[in-house]
Amino acid sequence: MLELTMAAVSEAETGATAGMLMADAPSDPGAMLCVGRDRNLCRLAPPDGWLFVSRVHLEFRCGPDGIWTVTWLRGSQSEPSSDVRVLADGSEQSMPYGGYWRIPAGGSGEVVIHDRLGARSVNVGYFHEI
């Protein structure tokens, strides 16, 4: 099972967990959870008007081996208006636009979508239960 928690944080709320949302999915091949502005496609969505987040920004998908990956989907623009970082095992790593990262079994951490033009972020915590 993969469990996600999402907090939308603006400069005025730094350190606070405003807009906390949760979602989970079983670790069945093909299971998917998405983060983005399109509430019809995404289980976790930021506040309205946060345009630095794409309609479908992040896709968490379970592979045939039961291992989850998170992909930063490419949007309609050639250059994104955000940065995405993965925080795991005490380190921080930038995710390339259109790139993916494998979530280790039993792993936990955070994927952060950061607005390049303002002090806002969407923080998605994850826990992959074995």
Side-chain angles (χ1 to χ4, degrees):
M1 168 143 340
L2 182 71
E3 299 174 356
L4 301 178
T5 57
M6 185 190 89
V9 181
S10 66
E11 184 175 32
E13 300 160 336
T14 300
T17 53
M20 182 73 80
L21 300 172
M22 299 178 78
D24 61 28
S27 292
D28 297 333
M32 184 173 59
L33 291 168
C34 293
V35 177
R37 292 190 336 259
D38 188 330
R39 296 179 195 283
N40 293 317
L41 299 172
C42 301
R43 298 254 315 264
L44 299 175
D48 291 335
W50 284 34
L51 301 180
F52 68 96
V53 178
S54 300
R55 285 182 55 245
V56 181
H57 202 96
L58 299 175
E59 177 185 87
F60 291 81
R61 182 180 294 270
C62 186
D65 54 2
I67 300 295
W68 285 85
T69 58
V70 57
T71 302
W72 179 8
L73 301 174
R74 292 187 68 87
S76 59
Q77 304 297 318
S78 60
E79 288 295 318
S81 57
S82 62
D83 294 310
V84 175
R85 296 184 309 271
V86 176
L87 290 76
D89 300 323
S91 66
E92 184 175 327
Q93 169 182 341
S94 291
M95 183 179 287
Y97 189 38
Y100 72 95
W101 187 75
R102 289 175 55 94
I103 298 172
S108 63
E110 191 171 29
V111 180
V112 180
I113 305 168
H114 183 262
D115 184 356
R116 287 183 173 175
L117 301 177
R120 298 181 295 183
S121 67
V122 174
N123 299 37
V124 182
Y126 65 84
F127 175 70
H128 183 197
E129 184 179 302
I130 300 176

